[in-house]
Amino acid sequence: MWMVLGVLAIGATLFNLYTFSIGKDYKLPMAIALSLTALTVCADYSYLSVWVEAEDWSALADVIPGMGRALWVLTSISIILNLLPIFLERMRKQA
C-alpha cells in the first residue's frame, strides 16, 4: 500500500507543479500531494509494525536504517516541491 501511495504522492506533486506553471489555482493539488505523502509515511510505519508484532528482528534490522533515511529525504523533497509555488508566487508579486 505504501508503494501505491508513494507513486500517487509523486504524481500529485507533479500535477501541483504543472497546475502552477499554467497559472491555475494550485492549492488543492498541493494539499492532496502533501496528504498523500503523509499517508505514505503512515502506511510504511504500519507495514513495519507488522514485523515488530511478529518479532522479525532481522528484517527490521535490514530495512529500518535505510528506510528511515529514505523517508526523511523523500518527505523533505515532497514538502519543498509542493511549497515551491507559494514562494515563486510571492517572488512574482514582489517584483
Side-chain angles (χ1 to χ4, degrees):
M1 178 58 96
W2 65 269
M3 186 84 80
V4 172
L5 289 169
V7 170
L8 289 174
I10 291 168
T13 299
L14 294 174
F15 183 70
N16 173 28
L17 295 172
Y18 171 74
T19 304
F20 173 75
S21 70
I22 63 171
K24 302 252 180 177
D25 187 21
Y26 58 87
K27 293 180 180 99
L28 180 61
M30 178 180 66
I32 291 170
L34 290 172
S35 298
L36 285 168
T37 300
L39 289 172
T40 301
V41 172
C42 291
D44 187 54
Y45 184 82
S46 294
Y47 181 68
L48 295 175
S49 70
V50 171
W51 289 352
V52 170
E53 290 174 3
E55 297 182 6
D56 191 353
W57 308 122
S58 61
L60 288 168
D62 288 342
V63 173
I64 294 291
M67 186 63 74
R69 281 189 292 275
L71 288 174
W72 274 104
V73 169
L74 294 173
T75 301
S76 299
I77 290 171
S78 177
I79 291 168
I80 290 167
L81 287 177
N82 281 295
L83 294 179
L84 185 62
I86 292 174
F87 296 119
L88 292 175
E89 187 173 61
R90 285 187 179 185
M91 287 174 54
R92 281 185 194 167
K93 287 182 181 179
Q94 288 178 356

